[in-house]
Amino acid sequence: MKKPTEARQRAILQRLEKFSRFTDSSIRIPFTGVTIGADAVIGLLPGIGDLAGLVLAGYVLIEAHRAGAGTALKLRMLRNIGIDFLGGLLPVVGDAFDAVYKANTRNTRLLKYYLEAQLAPEPPRQPFPWMTLVGLTILFALITSALALFFDGI
């Protein structure tokens, strides 16, 4: 699989951020600072809603694959999806858990950190500290010589 370009990776991130906002935090509960998304609302439908949320969460994983994410990152994302799905299956508490856990936002953030690390320019190589090496060598030679003279005189 060829490596996606920077523009393509940024487009993937932009899509996922909109998707995550829609599924995890697009609805503000009045008079509170709490937001929920379509995933939490859909999750209110017993059984079917949780399966639909699982399918929706799979989209983030597919986009991560398209962006060139490694196996370790995709496994972390799968773990988040599994926690969200299993937590959502719990009667009543599961719906609240769905609203709070926000797996799609977590996974989008993971992918964002991964892609930012991929897109970051490599820092320039630092030159070898020759002067420090020479200076420390002279210092240690002087200390060793002084110690040798001191102990030779005893």
Side-chain angles (χ1 to χ4, degrees), residues 60-84:
V60 180
L61 192 61
I62 290 168
E63 286 286 15
H65 180 74
R66 286 182 186 154
T71 303
L73 177 65
K74 290 187 278 190
L75 287 174
R76 285 183 68 190
M77 294 172 101
L78 272 172
R79 183 194 70 201
N80 286 338
I81 292 169
I83 290 170
D84 187 55

Side-chain angles (χ1 to χ4, degrees), residues 107-130:
N107 287 343
T108 297
R109 190 176 321 123
L110 284 173
L111 183 61
K112 181 179 181 178
Y113 293 152
Y114 170 80
L115 291 178
E116 284 175 350
Q118 298 298 310
L119 297 173
E122 288 187 33
R125 285 187 61 208
Q126 295 295 321
F128 190 80
W130 289 107

Side-chain angles (χ1 to χ4, degrees), residues 2-76:
K2 81 177 191 180
K3 186 174 178 176
T5 64
E6 180 178 344
R8 184 166 172 226
Q9 288 177 335
R10 293 202 188 282
I12 288 170
L13 271 180
Q14 195 172 35
R15 279 195 307 271
L16 287 179
E17 286 171 353
K18 286 179 185 177
F19 175 79
S20 295
R21 206 172 309 113
F22 171 72
T23 59
D24 291 341
S25 60
S26 59
I27 304 166
R28 180 167 300 283
I29 298 176
F31 310 110
T32 71
V34 178
T35 59
I36 62 172
D39 186 36
V41 174
I42 293 168
L44 292 171
L45 299 170
I48 295 170
D50 296 313
L51 284 174
L54 183 64
V55 170
L56 287 172
Y59 170 69
V60 180
L61 192 61
I62 290 168
E63 286 286 15
H65 180 74
R66 286 182 186 154
T71 303
L73 177 65
K74 290 187 278 190
L75 287 174
R76 285 183 68 190

Side-chain angles (χ1 to χ4, degrees), residues 68-150:
T71 303
L73 177 65
K74 290 187 278 190
L75 287 174
R76 285 183 68 190
M77 294 172 101
L78 272 172
R79 183 194 70 201
N80 286 338
I81 292 169
I83 290 170
D84 187 55
F85 176 71
L86 293 174
L89 290 176
L90 300 169
V92 183
V93 175
D95 297 321
F97 180 81
D98 245 358
V100 172
Y101 190 70
K102 303 179 188 287
N104 295 324
T105 299
R106 289 172 185 264
N107 287 343
T108 297
R109 190 176 321 123
L110 284 173
L111 183 61
K112 181 179 181 178
Y113 293 152
Y114 170 80
L115 291 178
E116 284 175 350
Q118 298 298 310
L119 297 173
E122 288 187 33
R125 285 187 61 208
Q126 295 295 321
F128 190 80
W130 289 107
M131 293 306 291
T132 304
L133 178 65
V134 170
L136 286 174
T137 302
I138 293 169
L139 176 67
F140 293 150
L142 290 172
I143 292 171
T144 304
S145 299
L147 287 173
L149 289 173
F150 176 75

